Structure formats: structure tokens, C-alpha cells
Amino acid sequence: MTNHSETTGPFENDGIKGEGAANGRPGHDAQVTLRTPAELADALPYLLGYRPEDSIVLVALHDRGGRGRFGGRARLGIPATQDDWEAAARQLAGGLVAGSERRGARPEQMVAYVCQEPGEGESGRDVMRRLRPLAQFLRTECGRLDIPVIEALCISDGRYWSYCCPNQGCCPDEGMPMGLPGTSVLAAAATYAGIQVRGTLRELRARLLPWETGAAVQQEVALDAAGTALVPRILDDAARADVAEETLSLAERLMRRFAAAPPVSGTHQADLRDDELLAHDEAATLILGLQDRTTRDRAAAWMEGDEAAPALRLWRALARRCVGSYGEHAAALLTLTGWVAWSTGDELEAREALAMALGADPDYLFARLLHQACNEGLDPEAVRRCLRAERTERAPTQPTAQAGPAGETAAVASGTPIEPTPRRRRRARSADGSGGSTRPGRAEGGKPRAAGSRPRPTHPGASKPGGTRARTARPDDAARGGTPSRDAAAERSAEEEA
């Protein structure tokens, strides 16, 4: 886009989830024509639904009557090592084009963005110069696919630069200042259409990260105590179903408590309010009880209607309570968070929560299936129908162990099942070299192992004496297949936002 008077395309409420329809406003009719790099830079948060940080973003354009129309969007974090930039650009471009082709619309053009704040001693201009090779890799990889990049922008330190325009008159070396957020014509049109722009991904993830306050110690003590009380009962086949019913009954009571709480303004204040509504022992009981796959599947049925909002708040609050050495336990709660968010139309939180679940436990099959289905743009209604049917057919006295697995339901509904492969259980060795569990754990098939002595809290990924990484077996270990790496899962943000 070297000629800045060209029209790159209208801004449409296409593929961006908003509230316009729900509020009776014609969000799908809102159009704004973008002609300059400034307007394209201003459009980025509205295209993604959040303000990207440390991001590579590609936006597809499709031809409609001689004008460009925004299509799919894809984002990746900027790799820390420059040697990985070319591979990241190839992955991003190939993934976006493949996703667009699956939906029957190959892009005709692309707009590329690189976004990063200056490091210590850097200026925005330094960032722009440092990231120039990355922008060139994006242009080259798109060119290999016969799709030209008509504009490539760098956004840093409140300014933007064009890598495609050599004209110092309109694109000076010191960059151009970004407009104040929310003051452009595009911002007004997006607000009218019901399109919301969140903060940053970092702020979104912060709502789901475990506590790092003094209360985390008290929560971990409560988790230890709950494990001591619950593990023997779950090991007992006769009592296991009772534990599941108690877990779900407690979750329902807490959801009613959350729903009855007076509203507060701001997400941070809302999360603090929910934390105050949840006692340490209640959180510990639910966290451990929901590690059972079939109990978790029954809880996943709270995905719509009046149940969805308090359930989502509860799963977030429980994820924040998976502190210390219980970090892997967050996979179940983050997966439930991602599922309810996806079911209620919030694909942004769904992707991030599911990616964080895979970061906590890369083997967690339900998270992998949902993350794959969400990224492929599948309709969650197929999964909802299966869960509704299971909920209706389940008799009140039916043991929890007989409930249909929602992970398999998701695989069938998505049409992209992942074939499980056997995997060996890993056991942590004690200090004297003997095998054994370091804390109340869960065995394959959903039953906890017998508890042994537990060392002081360590990071979930830390090594234990004997050189083997300690890991608690999970109820659905036997059904898991291939494993994405922890780093890849945590950074997995090549999301297509169709």
C-alpha cells in the first residue's frame, strides 16, 4: 500500500463477536472505509477484539466489487530469537491461508502488523528498525503464496511506521503518533455496532493465573487437607459416586451464591468480589473433585442460559486457586472456563483459557480437542447438543463413572477426533530413590493414588530428587494421545478469527 490514497477496504462487523444484534442495533451494517496507515493502525484492536502486545498479526483481505473486505485474522507472539522469525512468519501465513481456504475464500491481499513495546534503553524507532526483518519475512512468505502484502505496519510506543512507504512526508523516520483510543470514526462505529475492545492479552490471562499473594499459602494448606480427606473416599468404589455428587452439589450452591452477589464495576473488582465469596476449603474441595473426568464432564453442562455466567465466574475463581505445587490441577478449571466462554460466544477468552490449560498440562485431551475445534471455527452447538442429551438421559441415581466423556463428545461433534496413543505413567522418585507419589494424586481411570509424604511446595515444572519431573496422574490420562510442548501450548496464539 505505497499509495496512501488507496482504499484497503471497509471495516465491517464480519467475524467479530459483538452485542449489536442482541441490543437491536444493526452491527452488521456498520462500515467504515480505511484509506491510510493511520486508519489501519487504529483498526487493529477492533479487528482482534483486544490490544495486541509482542505480536505478529496478519489480516486477510478479500475482493468485493473492486474493494477490499476484511477476512480472517491470525496472531502469533514474536519469538525471542531472531533465528525463529522466518519460521514464525511461514507458520502464520500458511495457517491463515489454509484456514481461509477451508472456509472457501482464499485471500487476495494481506495487511501485516508487528507490535512490540520498547525495551530498556530502546525507543519506538529502535523497535521499528529491529523488527524490519520480521516484517520482510511476512511479506516474503505471503508472496510465496501469491498473496501480496499491501501494507506492513509497526506499532510501538504510541506511534506507527509503514514498512511499505518510502515517502518521508507522510511516513517520517520518527513515526506518526497514534490517535487517542476511542476517538476515531472507526471507534464510534464499532461502539455503535456493539464491538468491544478488551485490554491486552496479558490482562486477560491475569484473571486466570494462580494467586501470588499471602493467601496462596493458606489455599495450598486447604488443598493438602482436602486431598487427605477426599483421596481415600475416591479410592473406594462405593464412595466415589458420593464424592462426585457432593462436588457438583457444592458447585451449584456456589453458583447460586455468585449469581446473588451484587454487581461491581470493572473486571478486577469483580474478580476480587468472587474471590471473597469463595472459601479456601470450598475451593480445595471443588478443585480436587473436578479432577475426575466424568465429574468435570457433568459440570461442563452448565454452559448456557442463566447457569453460564456464574459457572464461568466460578471456574475462573477456581483456576486462580490452583496455587503452588497444584499448578497442573488448573488444566481442568481452565478447560471448563474455555468451554463456557466458547459456548457463550467469547472466542477470545476461550482460546486463551484453553491455551493456558495446555500450558498447565499439555496432555489434557479435552483442552486439546476444544482448542482445535475453536481455532477451526467450528460451531459449539454440536458439543452443546451432546451435553444436553447426556444431561437429560442421565438418571438421578446413575453413578458418575457412567457419564459420557465430554472430551470424546467434543471430538465426535467437531468431526476431527484425535486418536489416543498409549503413554507411560511417570513417577516421581523420593529422596532415597524409591518410587512413590509426592502428594495425594490421581491414577489413570480417575482414582487417586495412595498419598505419601509431600515435600514443601515447588513450581509444578520443577525437578524432583532422582531427576524425574513430578507429575500427578489425571483421571483421563489413559485416553490421551500425542503431546504438544508446554511452551508451544502456552504461546499457541496463531488463532484464526474468521
Side-chain angles (χ1 to χ4, degrees), residues 43 65 119 301 381 413 476 482:
E381 177 58 23
D476 50 357

Side-chain angles (χ1 to χ4, degrees), residues 25-332:
R25 295 174 298 192
H28 60 281
D29 292 330
Q31 295 186 14
V32 176
T33 300
L34 307 180
R35 294 186 174 88
T36 68
E39 292 169 339
L40 282 172
D42 183 61
L44 183 57
Y46 301 97
L47 292 171
L48 296 179
Y50 60 91
R51 302 187 184 281
E53 298 176 312
D54 293 327
S55 297
I56 319 167
V57 180
L58 279 177
V59 180
L61 292 177
H62 303 282
D63 182 68
R64 175 186 285 179
R67 297 191 305 165
R69 171 178 168 269
F70 286 127
R73 280 78 76 192
R75 189 205 75 92
L76 273 177
I78 297 177
T81 305
Q82 293 191 19
D83 293 342
D84 297 329
W85 285 1
E86 184 175 9
R90 184 177 302 114
Q91 175 187 351
L92 196 65
L96 179 55
V97 172
S100 298
E101 289 178 338
R102 281 198 304 271
R103 293 184 292 272
R106 179 180 173 85
E108 280 84 20
Q109 298 171 323
M110 293 279 196
V111 177
Y113 299 83
V114 289
C115 312
Q116 191 173 70
E117 289 305 299
E120 185 176 357
E122 269 192 322
S123 66
R125 180 167 58 180
D126 295 333
V127 173
M128 179 272 294
R129 290 172 174 171
R130 178 167 52 80
L131 296 182
R132 187 185 295 275
L134 175 56
Q136 186 57 44
F137 283 135
L138 290 170
R139 299 174 72 182
T140 301
E141 293 302 326
C142 290
R144 291 183 193 277
L145 299 170
D146 293 327
I147 302 174
V149 173
I150 62 171
E151 182 60 280
L153 298 174
C154 175
I155 299 175
S156 179
D157 198 24
R159 307 181 78 84
Y160 69 87
W161 290 260
S162 170
Y163 289 116
C164 296
C165 179
N167 189 342
Q168 287 291 317
C170 60
C171 294
D173 193 46
E174 64 272 17
M176 293 291 289
M178 298 279 293
L180 292 176
T183 60
S184 66
V185 174
L186 174 58
T191 301
Y192 178 76
I195 300 171
Q196 297 180 350
V197 175
R198 312 273 186 97
T200 63
L201 289 182
R202 185 178 305 170
E203 294 168 345
L204 179 61
R205 293 183 186 118
R207 306 188 68 186
L208 304 173
L209 290 173
W211 284 350
E212 294 183 353
T213 64
V217 177
Q218 301 173 27
Q219 182 61 67
E220 190 162 14
V221 170
L223 284 162
D224 290 343
T228 301
L230 289 177
V231 167
R233 296 183 61 205
I234 301 177
L235 285 171
D236 183 354
D237 288 337
R240 186 182 178 196
D242 291 337
V243 174
E245 295 300 334
E246 292 166 9
T247 300
L248 295 168
S249 178
L250 175 58
E252 288 179 322
R253 292 199 303 273
L254 288 170
M255 286 166 56
R256 290 194 294 269
R257 185 188 302 171
F258 278 30
V264 296
S265 60
T267 57
H268 180 62
Q269 292 301 318
D271 290 343
L272 290 177
R273 173 206 56 198
D274 291 345
D275 289 339
E276 292 173 356
L277 294 172
L278 184 60
H280 293 309
D281 58 340
E282 293 172 329
T285 298
L286 285 181
I287 289 170
L288 293 175
L290 289 168
Q291 302 308 308
D292 179 78
R293 183 184 65 181
T294 50
T295 307
R296 176 211 66 198
D297 293 348
R298 291 176 62 182
W302 299 323
M303 63 204 167
E304 57 190 344
D306 294 337
E307 295 175 329
L312 183 58
R313 289 164 54 191
L314 179 58
W315 306 147
R316 288 194 198 113
L318 291 174
R320 295 192 290 269
R321 302 292 186 107
C322 295
V323 296
S325 56
Y326 290 87
E328 282 188 348
H329 288 65

Side-chain angles (χ1 to χ4, degrees), residues 334-357:
L334 290 167
T335 302
L336 287 171
T337 300
W339 161 237
V340 178
W342 185 35
S343 177
T344 54
D346 190 346
E347 294 185 5
L348 174 58
E349 181 170 8
R351 288 189 179 94
E352 291 307 309
L354 293 170
M356 290 175 69

